[in-house]
């Protein structure tokens, strides 16, 4: 199976970008996650591994990965974003953000995917991607 890390390194090389230690560490952390992380959470993981990386470097790498369509920025609140790898095959999930505790919960919904597809056909549009972020109160806070 073609791994996301290999996909990212290949895409960045094709774009003419050289590999770097900080970038490689951040890509490795993202590849291990099931859902989106904040830059601070990435920094914490790296620090726990003894791989201290400046927060500014983390943000620069994340911006680069978003710019090249390799990572998705999920806005979860005012001025707060999380980042997660984009699957080259198009597999994805959506998110519920709890307005009370800030928890981010991933979910899949085939019915929602069908509805989005039907809507794009009805509008005569070619939808290349979509992001669904539901905001409310999670089960724990309810």
């Amino acid at each position: 199976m073609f791994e996301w890390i290999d996909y990212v390194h290949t895409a960045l090389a094709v774009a003419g970008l050289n590999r770097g230690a900080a970038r490689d560490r951040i890509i490795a952390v993202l590849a291990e996650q099931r859902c989106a992380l904040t830059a601070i959470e990435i920094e914490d993981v790296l620090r726990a591994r003894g791989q201290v990386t400046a927060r500014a470097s983390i943000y620069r790498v994340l911006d680069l990965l978003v710019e090249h369509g390799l990572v998705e920025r999920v806005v979860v609140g005012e001025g707060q974003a999380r980042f997660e790898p984009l699957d080259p095959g198009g597999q994805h999930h959506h998110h519920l953000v709890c307005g009370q505790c800030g928890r981010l919960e991933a979910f899949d919904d085939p019915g929602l995917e069908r509805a989005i597809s039907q809507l794009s056909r009805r509008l005569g549009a070619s939808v290349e991607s979509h992001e669904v972020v539901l905001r409310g109160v999670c089960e724990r806070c309810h």
Side-chain angles (χ1 to χ4, degrees), residues 2 6-19 23 68 70:
F2 195 56
D6 297 330
Y7 172 73
V8 170
H9 289 309
T10 300
L12 295 177
V14 167
L17 300 169
N18 295 322
R19 289 179 68 166
R23 186 182 308 153
H68 286 274
L70 302 166

Side-chain angles (χ1 to χ4, degrees), residues 78-97:
E78 194 172 306
Q80 187 180 33
R82 292 178 169 267
F83 302 86
E84 70 182 349
L86 283 172
D87 184 290
Q91 289 291 101
H92 66 280
H93 57 252
H94 302 292
H95 301 94
L96 167 68
V97 179

Side-chain angles (χ1 to χ4, degrees), residues 56-123:
S57 294
I58 295 169
Y59 278 111
R60 274 194 301 276
V61 169
L62 291 170
D63 286 343
L64 175 78
L65 296 173
V66 169
E67 176 185 326
H68 286 274
L70 302 166
V71 167
E72 178 180 22
R73 180 188 323 262
V74 180
V75 178
V76 294
E78 194 172 306
Q80 187 180 33
R82 292 178 169 267
F83 302 86
E84 70 182 349
L86 283 172
D87 184 290
Q91 289 291 101
H92 66 280
H93 57 252
H94 302 292
H95 301 94
L96 167 68
V97 179
C98 180
Q100 290 187 1
C101 70
R103 185 167 157 244
L104 182 75
E105 188 172 324
F107 70 91
D108 295 309
D109 189 314
L112 178 59
E113 296 301 323
R114 283 190 300 277
I116 291 170
S117 180
Q118 290 169 353
L119 177 62
S120 68
R121 282 194 302 276
R122 190 178 83 213
L123 296 174

Side-chain angles (χ1 to χ4, degrees), residues 4-5 23-35 37-38 41-43 45-46 49 51 85:
W4 182 78
I5 291 177
R23 186 182 308 153
D24 286 351
R25 290 191 301 260
I26 293 162
I27 289 168
V29 169
L30 287 168
E32 297 165 0
Q33 304 306 311
R34 179 177 126 45
C35 199
L37 296 175
T38 65
E41 290 169 335
I42 293 169
E43 181 181 27
V45 170
L46 292 171
R49 293 178 179 176
Q51 300 173 326

